[in-house]
Amino acid sequence: MSAAAFALGTGRAMADDRTSGVPADSFQLGVASGEPEPDGVVLWTRLAPDPLAEDGHGGMPLRPMSVQYEVAEDERFTRIAARGAALATPELGHSIHVEVRGLAPAREYFYRFRAGRDISPVGRTKTAPAADASVAAFRFAAASCQAWYHGYFTAYRHMAEEDLDAVFFLGDYIYEYAINASNLWREGVSVAAAHNADVLTLEQYRLRYALFKSDPDLQRLHARVPWIVTSDDHEVVNNYAADFPQYDVSPEDFLRRRSVAYRAYYENLPLRATLLPTGPAMPLYRRLRYGRLAALHVLDTRQYRDDYPCGGLATGTCDEANDPNRSILGPDQERWLFDGLGASDTTWNVLTQQVVMASIDRTIGAGTSYSFDQWDGFTACRDRLFDVIRQRRVANPVVLTGDIHRSVAAELKADWTDPDSATIGTELIASSIGSNGDGTDTDSLGPIWLSNPHVKLYNARRGYVSCTMTPTELTSDFRVVPYVQRQGAPINSLARFVTEAGHPGLNPA
């Protein structure tokens, strides 16, 4: 459809002088959708004719610009379901987050934007089923950790070929490290000197998102399926814990950094206005629903957690890690999660979150040691969660996790010291999309993880988890690529498990 035809029906917006003067080629960062609900989704784009401009404004003039959007039932846009205009402002990096309402549940839609004379690529999205709908199947994938400089996002190319209803992204959408010859492993690319600096300012965070979002496979997947996202640490800085930065900087400077990092995160992802950060605070935990089949509890295990125990000990054995007052969620999020789990009436309860929940003893043989960046650093919080699951008879908990750049499948046990104790849930840990380069089938950590009997799979290749959930079972397919530092890798199914509704655990398929 021509630009002139697109303008029909939007005369009031087109008459606004804020539609004039938009630079050409402003949709270089693509389009995206997210937060699917029964009556609508969030549509995203960011105007950036020069995405890698070092001032962080993407080549846009420093004034608001009007952007039109259309949503249609068909890819040719002959049956329009919604249309309107939104304002892209320099304060939000000329991003827009259109919250479309009035759509039909469980329906495929197509969408596009217009700015000036430019029309964006067409995106495809899906709404969620009605809250009380019986759902035959929910197909989704879980991914995390996409260090652009370590490798190509080839796994996303294969993910886009699947017929998915949603993608869960579990953290580390960007990395804050300086990019230079020591870590630029992506074959055949180079970057400007501006990228060879740790990311500290709003301009630098915007530039880093633009660099990562320049990947065509990432753009294609965003345009293909709605995303449900949460962040981990590298969207701000490695291993931060709430207000504690884990490096030598004043609390005031760290909170300023967290403020601009959260702002850039919101600017670059399809999130609702209710998640817009206020200074260093971003209300990221939330709950969605997929009919009567699944409740989706999106967690934030970074912003509200207690600091590392025992003077900042990251790995080892430490009594303070078992302090009953410690929490990885914070008291408010704990209450919200526990109340939501207790009231859930769906067949499955999916917890999408960042760091490993299963207890992993990192010492083979006598003695014990644990990672305190993960739930092992907050054992009382995990115990409280498991108590709620058992006492409130929470149906079929499934935990989706990222962070560790490994594919891991684990059973969640009532008693970690007894392999025969009851299994109360399943944890599916998605490997990285690009972080740590090509990877290997196993590494020095493999025997350590597999010495924990509740761990059923460990692999150090790059990839993701593809899942099909039905009223009777969850099938989880761990998919990996043999390399990412050069393009063109095929995809392989590493392992497949079935978890039966009513019988938590991992059955090889």
Side-chain angles (χ1 to χ4, degrees), residues 421-475:
S421 70
T423 298
I424 65 170
T426 301
E427 184 168 16
L428 308 175
I429 303 174
S431 184
S432 67
I433 293 296
S435 305
N436 282 26
D438 291 342
T440 56
D441 288 328
T442 191
D443 57 17
S444 61
L445 297 178
I448 296 172
W449 281 73
L450 291 171
S451 69
N452 292 266
H454 48 277
V455 174
K456 307 302 180 183
L457 171 70
Y458 178 95
N459 183 276
R461 293 287 183 190
R462 311 285 72 88
Y464 60 94
V465 187
S466 181
C467 298
T468 299
M469 178 178 284
T470 74
T472 59
E473 64 184 27
L474 168 66
T475 301

Side-chain angles (χ1 to χ4, degrees), residues 253-447:
D253 284 344
F254 172 66
L255 289 179
R256 278 192 288 270
R257 182 177 184 179
R258 203 175 83 182
S259 296
V260 298
Y262 284 178
R263 170 63 64 93
Y265 181 79
Y266 177 83
E267 289 176 355
N268 284 280
L269 287 162
L271 295 167
R272 297 191 182 279
T274 53
L275 304 182
L276 179 67
T278 303
M282 186 175 187
L284 199 57
Y285 63 87
R286 60 209 187 275
R287 188 173 292 112
L288 296 91
R289 185 180 175 102
Y290 207 79
R292 294 167 61 186
L293 185 64
L296 313 175
H297 312 267
V298 183
L299 307 186
D300 179 351
T301 63
R302 189 62 62 178
Q303 187 177 177
Y304 311 104
R305 62 163 60 189
D306 288 295
D307 199 4
Y308 289 82
C310 300
L313 186 65
T315 303
T317 301
C318 173
D319 289 341
E320 188 182 344
N322 304 317
D323 186 330
N325 295 314
R326 284 178 58 78
S327 178
I328 197 171
L329 300 173
D332 292 342
Q333 187 176 190
E334 275 198 34
R335 284 191 293 271
W336 168 87
L337 176 60
F338 298 168
D339 289 346
L341 287 172
S344 176
D345 61 354
T346 55
T347 301
W348 299 89
N349 283 275
V350 182
L351 281 65
T352 74
Q353 53 103 52
Q354 297 80 0
V355 296
V356 176
M357 184 177 288
S359 185
I360 304 297
D361 181 0
R362 294 164 185 270
T363 299
I364 296 177
T368 58
S369 62
Y370 301 94
S371 168
F372 298 138
D373 187 48
Q374 300 170 359
W375 284 73
D376 276 332
F378 309 86
T379 60
C381 181
R382 184 173 58 201
D383 289 345
R384 289 190 291 272
L385 171 59
F386 286 12
D387 285 345
V388 167
I389 290 172
R390 290 193 298 265
Q391 294 169 9
R392 303 292 295 271
R393 297 182 179 179
V394 176
N396 301 308
V398 176
V399 179
L400 303 179
T401 300
D403 181 58
I404 62 170
H405 311 165
R406 309 293 190 276
S407 296
V408 174
E411 295 178 338
L412 302 176
K413 307 296 286 187
D415 182 353
W416 300 110
T417 65
D418 179 7
D420 296 324
S421 70
T423 298
I424 65 170
T426 301
E427 184 168 16
L428 308 175
I429 303 174
S431 184
S432 67
I433 293 296
S435 305
N436 282 26
D438 291 342
T440 56
D441 288 328
T442 191
D443 57 17
S444 61
L445 297 178

Side-chain angles (χ1 to χ4, degrees), residues 177-193:
Y177 301 127
I179 302 174
N180 51 50
S182 69
N183 61 6
L184 183 52
W185 304 341
R186 183 183 272 224
E187 182 179 270
V189 301
S190 60
V191 295

